[in-house]
Amino acid sequence: GVELRERGLTPKHPVVIVPGFVSTGLELWRGKACGAHFFRRRMWGTPAMARAFFSNQKCWMEHMRLDGRTGSDPESVRLRAVRGLEGVDWFLPGYFVWGKVIEELSELGYDSNTLHSAAYDWRLSPTMLERRDGYFTRLKSVIETLYSVHGERVALLAHSYGDTISRYFFEWVETPVAKGGGGGGKRWVDKHVHAYVDIAGPMLGIPKTIPSLLSGEMRDTAILGELEGMLGGLLETAVGRLIGTQIKEVCDTFRTWGALWAMLPRGGAAVWGDDDAGAPESGALNFFLQMRAAGTSRETSFNHTVDSALGFLFEQLADSVPHNVAEFSSTIDRASRERLKTRVPDLEAKTAPNFGDPLRSALPRAPNMKIFCLYGAGKPTERAYVYERFDADALRPYQLDVQSRDAALTHGVWQVDGDGSIPLASLGYVCREWRVNRALNPANVSVVTREYAHRPLPLSVGGFQGKSEGDHVNIMGNEDMIRDLLTIVAGRAHAVPPRVVSDVDALAATIR
């Protein structure tokens, strides 16, 4: 920030931050008897979370859970997102989220009048965010106010799941109210948004969500992956203590979080591979999820493509989480959807608007808006899984086969290029497609892809600060990325050119 200020850059566009999964603090406004004394203290984020967890682990988990039948608050419990920048800056002392970005924006000249955090309850599905909290209505109002007060269009900065939320918002805000939208009209985005900066967004979903939902696996799955390099060790120790004795509590809690369901892989076989052609990254692997009975050989396994894996997941969990099953059933293939209807007869009636699907929904007609896709590459990332199936009455009926190893698999997991949490296809394909696909980008919005090679530094020279890292969380401390971000919001977007350091274009060609 100081460097750019000395070069003559100053704040130009008001900034709105949309944080990612698990990265907003949640405070208690109503609790059960066991947690009532934590009123307005954080059940998620800051050292208060650790005190709440270790004082009564079961009570803490009950408060973190949603009602799977409604997707909203369970009876007698009300957690809400912490408002303001303090809800998204530092997760715990020493563990930054947006903290470094906010500090450098301040050095450039931003303050609380020109910088807003659109914090939200990251457990909720996008639909429930609006239904329960009026989140998108509030976000629309904030952007309109910043535009009116400052006379400049807004720069919207999103990280991780915040990209899913932002793309949902873009379609929602321009959709008529009668069709479930915000009624802003077809030129609302072009009028109010100068730049959309997507940082490590899972545009085609995250494979890790499947093991998280199916078995509550904590081996670098969606929950830990989001916090890897920031809080992974502490969270694994804490939640790991529950795994041995209360695994059902963990699984039941994960399955109620609509956000996890919203990050399920999208795109089907074209993106994630099939039985015949194998995976686009490598024809050597021809499954997304392999399942075998415990104690049998891999030759007896059943191989799931991504479509059949999602269908299997929905069918297995249809009885316990009908709200989320209904809302995101559009992500599965037609055959699996028909089978699912026998478990959830009113499936169609419960299905919510599918705003922001990057493979179906066109970008806003906003020729004056600029899109930047900033993400890391060069770190091994989970992509496919080998599972063991135990007796249905077992503590954990499905478990990763951690003994499964060969040339492609390690501990039952196949890894590819990505940012440690999201594979390259999900990070980069859509952004590359937007440049050439007029059906998805009818206004020819400028789209710049800028990749950051993952180069971890030793702790002795600041590695813990993420100065040159491209992984999913620590990229928020990457100095090169922050410099680019500040340049964009200062009105110098033309000075941030495309940069591709991975094989994303070759991968995109196989997907097409």
Side-chain angles (χ1 to χ4, degrees), residues 186-468:
K186 293 188 177 299
R187 296 294 178 181
W188 190 94
V189 173
D190 197 42
K191 177 180 177 180
H192 294 94
V193 181
H194 164 71
Y196 171 53
V197 183
D198 161 34
I199 306 171
M203 291 196 173
L204 296 179
I206 311 177
K208 291 179 179 185
T209 53
I210 288 185
S212 293
L213 290 167
L214 182 62
S215 59
E217 297 283 354
M218 294 301 294
R219 182 201 169 274
D220 193 24
T221 50
I223 310 300
L224 287 184
E226 184 72 15
L227 295 174
E228 184 182 13
M230 181 178 76
L231 194 62
L234 174 61
L235 189 62
E236 185 169 27
T237 299
V239 180
R241 289 176 57 175
L242 289 171
I243 295 297
T245 58
Q246 300 178 30
I247 181 60
K248 188 175 185 303
E249 295 280 337
V250 176
C251 288
D252 287 349
T253 298
F254 288 177
R255 291 166 185 170
T256 67
W257 293 350
L260 276 180
W261 296 82
M263 291 187 284
L264 285 169
R266 293 178 179 268
V271 175
W272 306 102
D274 56 33
D275 290 331
D276 297 327
E281 292 94 342
S282 168
L285 200 76
N286 65 344
F287 64 85
F288 185 89
L289 178 66
Q290 186 177 89
M291 189 73 66
R292 66 177 178 82
T296 62
S297 66
R298 284 187 60 189
E299 285 68 27
T300 65
S301 301
F302 182 83
N303 289 346
H304 288 281
T305 64
V306 65
D307 284 327
S308 64
L310 289 171
F312 170 77
L313 177 72
F314 275 82
E315 290 173 30
Q316 292 299 306
L317 304 182
D319 294 334
S320 59
V321 282
H323 166 77
N324 290 318
V325 165
E327 184 162 357
F328 301 109
S329 60
S330 61
T331 60
I332 63 177
D333 67 302
R334 181 176 299 178
S336 297
R337 188 176 176 83
E338 290 301 315
R339 290 196 302 271
L340 184 59
K341 286 181 181 179
T342 64
R343 302 282 299 279
V344 186
D346 55 348
L347 182 69
E348 300 296 342
K350 290 184 175 180
T351 301
N354 192 23
F355 293 135
D357 185 332
L359 299 177
R360 301 177 185 178
S361 300
L363 287 171
R365 292 186 177 275
N368 296 304
M369 180 176 70
K370 298 174 175 58
I371 294 178
F372 292 85
C373 301
L374 314 180
Y375 60 86
K379 185 171 185 179
T381 304
E382 293 182 25
R383 172 67 165 73
Y385 305 89
V386 175
Y387 259 84
E388 291 182 290
R389 185 183 69 252
F390 293 81
D391 185 90
D393 295 328
L395 186 65
R396 183 186 285 169
Y398 302 101
Q399 295 182 33
L400 277 174
D401 180 9
V402 295
Q403 302 301 320
S404 181
R405 303 181 186 183
D406 60 26
L409 293 160
T410 302
H411 301 300
V413 178
W414 182 53
Q415 296 185 316
V416 295
D417 190 10
D419 69 357
S421 289
I422 304 175
L424 185 60
S426 186
L427 289 165
Y429 167 74
V430 172
C431 298
R432 307 306 281 169
E433 187 70 3
W434 277 339
R435 298 176 309 140
V436 298
N437 189 326
R438 289 296 167 264
L440 293 178
N441 187 0
N444 197 23
V445 175
S446 170
V447 181
V448 171
T449 297
R450 193 158 171 86
E451 296 182 337
Y452 305 86
H454 179 58
R455 296 191 181 94
L457 295 173
L459 292 178
S460 59
V461 291
F464 67 94
Q465 298 177 352
K467 290 184 176 182
S468 64

Side-chain angles (χ1 to χ4, degrees), residues 91-143:
F91 191 85
L92 286 171
Y95 298 106
F96 62 86
V97 185
W98 284 88
K100 290 181 177 292
V101 172
I102 293 170
E103 183 177 356
E104 299 305 332
L105 285 166
S106 171
E107 293 288 1
L108 187 63
Y110 282 87
D111 56 33
S112 57
N113 290 325
T114 49
L115 177 59
H116 175 84
S117 165
Y120 58 94
D121 186 340
W122 46 264
R123 301 172 301 163
L124 298 175
S125 69
T127 303
M128 190 53 62
L129 274 174
E130 176 62 19
R131 186 178 302 163
R132 193 196 77 176
D133 297 347
Y135 176 77
F136 297 113
T137 298
R138 292 172 182 269
L139 180 57
K140 176 175 180 284
S141 177
V142 164
I143 292 175

